[in-house]
Amino acid sequence: MQIKELARRLQITPRAIRFYEEKGLITPKKADGSGYRQFTEADVWRLQTVITLREVGMSIEDIRHVLRQLDEGEGGLLHYLELQLSFVYDRWVELSKVIHTTEAMIERVKRDGESDPASLFELAEASKRLRQARSNWVDRWNFNQLAANYDQMVTEARDGFHPHERYEQVLDALVEKVAPQPGETGLDAGTGTGNLARRLRERGVTVCAFDQSPEMLKRCRQKNPGVEAKLGTFFAFPFLDSRFDFVATSYALHHLTDEQKVLALAECRRVLKPAGRLAIADFMFVDAGHRANHLEALRQSGRTDAIERIEYGYYADRSRLLAALKELGFQPEAEQLTTYVHLVFATLA
């Protein structure tokens, strides 16, 4: 078919088709003699893909990368759409923070007048610090490579150091604490290979999950057919507000700094329904004093390897975590399950 027919079929302009051709996204053949472009069904499919990806906000360069990967048989369209959705949620959450900061500034100006720019600067700086905390996270652990061996890794001690001791019992205790009820919808945040999601699903509830690692998600989906598992981060859960009766997370928050943990807790708050429940099982110390005493005991016994592993992760200060939850409107409680794992349970007031 020629360009006008293709334009009518896809409800776009010939000019748009020429633009995508100039960018190298489609390469129609020229008919012998006439010089007119001749488009095949393959060109139609390719152009439909381009239009679809543009509609969800993907850049021309990113679309070119997607098409190249598809041509080479690497990756898939689903993966790139999931990446784009994760990006959109990230921008949406970021924009909501900007809106909140701007509204706070407006309220201060209404209350105090325009004579105190220092207070507005303070709000702006706080917003900037949070934005930097969100953008500074990096995957130092390389979860895509860990995915294949993760389930074995959590059951084994290394050099006598085993922070995941009683792994299965910890997950069972978390599920018992959150007490899923038939008809509820729950979220497994930072699902990893889906071991917690499987336990929740066995309770007869609707389970959703997310993780930032595509390889971890692949294994989660294999274990949990029917679970809505999405690509996402702790700074922008890929779900809309007030969707879940409960959020559960295990062995994930210790990959976030203290400031980043607060951002993750705020996301838990955002996606929970009124009176929603939050359960966290992770590596923690009761407070800074307990942490210092434990590290000193390890040092005295020559366990520098254990100290290095603890300090490489971000084991939480439980007292600070509980205080942050109270600030967000939760009523929290906590108990220690193993040497390093604590269970925090909180309900929205």
Side-chain angles (χ1 to χ4, degrees):
M1 70 190 77
Q2 294 184 359
I3 191 168
K4 288 184 178 180
E5 182 182 350
L6 178 60
R8 283 195 301 270
R9 180 167 170 179
L10 297 181
Q11 296 296 298
I12 60 175
T13 64
R15 182 179 180 182
I17 297 174
R18 294 189 188 97
F19 172 78
Y20 294 134
E21 183 182 357
E22 290 170 3
K23 295 298 182 181
L25 302 181
I26 55 173
T27 53
K29 294 180 180 179
K30 299 274 182 79
D32 293 339
S34 68
Y36 288 115
R37 298 171 180 82
Q38 295 292 321
F39 296 90
T40 65
E41 287 299 323
D43 293 320
V44 174
W45 178 90
R46 194 174 184 86
L47 192 52
Q48 285 174 327
T49 303
V50 170
I51 294 168
T52 299
L53 296 178
R54 286 293 285 168
E55 181 63 26
V56 297
M58 195 172 288
S59 70
I60 293 295
E61 186 57 40
D62 286 341
I63 293 174
R64 184 180 293 112
H65 179 70
V66 171
L67 293 174
R68 183 166 58 248
Q69 295 286 78
L70 291 174
D71 290 341
E72 295 172 357
E74 300 178 8
L77 187 57
L78 174 61
H79 171 65
Y80 292 101
L81 287 172
E82 288 180 330
L83 282 175
Q84 183 65 9
L85 181 63
S86 177
F87 170 77
V88 170
Y89 268 105
D90 186 74
R91 296 300 302 145
W92 175 58
V93 170
E94 181 66 39
L95 184 58
S96 71
K97 304 298 183 185
V98 173
I99 291 171
H100 177 77
T101 300
T102 306
E103 287 179 338
M105 288 180 175
I106 290 171
E107 288 304 312
R108 286 203 182 182
V109 171
K110 286 180 178 178
R111 185 189 66 206
D112 303 329
E114 301 183 14
S115 59
D116 187 16
S119 67
L120 298 185
F121 179 77
E122 179 185 342
L123 279 173
E125 283 298 294
S127 176
K128 178 181 177 181
R129 286 195 301 272
L130 290 177
R131 186 172 65 252
Q132 289 174 337
R134 295 176 73 247
S135 61
N136 286 344
W137 188 87
V138 293
D139 181 2
R140 298 188 296 150
W141 298 266
N142 201 342
F143 288 110
N144 280 332
Q145 286 191 5
L146 286 178
N149 300 313
Y150 178 81
D151 289 344
Q152 179 182 352
M153 182 187 73
V154 296
T155 64
E156 298 176 346
R158 193 174 77 190
D159 299 326
F161 181 69
H162 190 22
H164 291 88
E165 62 176 318
R166 297 176 54 211
Y167 174 78
E168 302 288 343
Q169 292 90 332
V170 166
L171 296 187
D172 290 339
L174 188 155
V175 173
E176 290 301 320
K177 194 67 178 180
V178 82
Q181 301 299 311
E184 288 189 326
T185 301
L187 174 64
D188 179 6
T191 185
T193 61
N195 295 324
L196 178 58
R198 176 176 57 80
R199 283 170 166 79
L200 294 170
R201 185 169 55 88
E202 289 170 351
R203 291 297 188 99
V205 299
T206 300
V207 180
C208 299
F210 76 83
D211 201 277
Q212 62 82 34
S213 164
E215 289 300 315
M216 288 284 191
L217 275 182
K218 184 186 298 183
R219 282 158 178 78
C220 174
R221 288 165 176 159
Q222 290 169 350
K223 293 179 183 178
N224 299 286
V227 166
E228 184 182 358
K230 294 183 177 182
L231 201 64
T233 74
F234 270 100
F235 311 122
F237 291 9
F239 299 95
L240 298 178
D241 296 356
S242 305
R243 176 167 176 183
F244 299 104
D245 297 288
F246 64 86
V247 174
T249 181
S250 61
Y251 299 98
L253 286 187
H254 69 280
H255 300 110
L256 310 177
T257 65
D258 288 342
E259 195 167 27
Q260 290 168 342
K261 285 181 177 67
V262 175
L263 294 172
L265 295 179
E267 278 296 276
C268 293
R269 173 70 175 83
R270 178 181 68 79
V271 300
L272 279 171
K273 297 177 181 179
R277 315 186 299 283
L278 171 62
I280 303 167
D282 215 324
F283 304 141
M284 306 181 197
F285 293 99
V286 172
D287 54 29
H290 282 79
R291 176 190 176 94
N293 291 338
H294 184 79
L295 294 183
E296 180 58 28
L298 289 174
R299 193 171 290 110
Q300 292 291 338
S301 60
R303 296 301 311 277
T304 56
D305 57 325
I307 294 173
E308 289 174 359
R309 291 183 63 185
I310 291 170
E311 292 183 339
Y312 189 75
Y314 304 108
Y315 286 31
D317 179 326
R318 196 178 83 182
S319 64
R320 294 181 63 179
L321 205 64
L322 295 178
L325 286 167
K326 290 177 182 177
E327 281 287 318
L328 289 167
F330 286 95
Q331 295 178 339
E333 59 185 63
E335 60 180 305
Q336 187 167 352
L337 299 182
T338 71
T339 304
Y340 295 108
V341 176
H342 296 234
L343 176 59
V344 173
F345 180 73
T347 55
L348 282 172

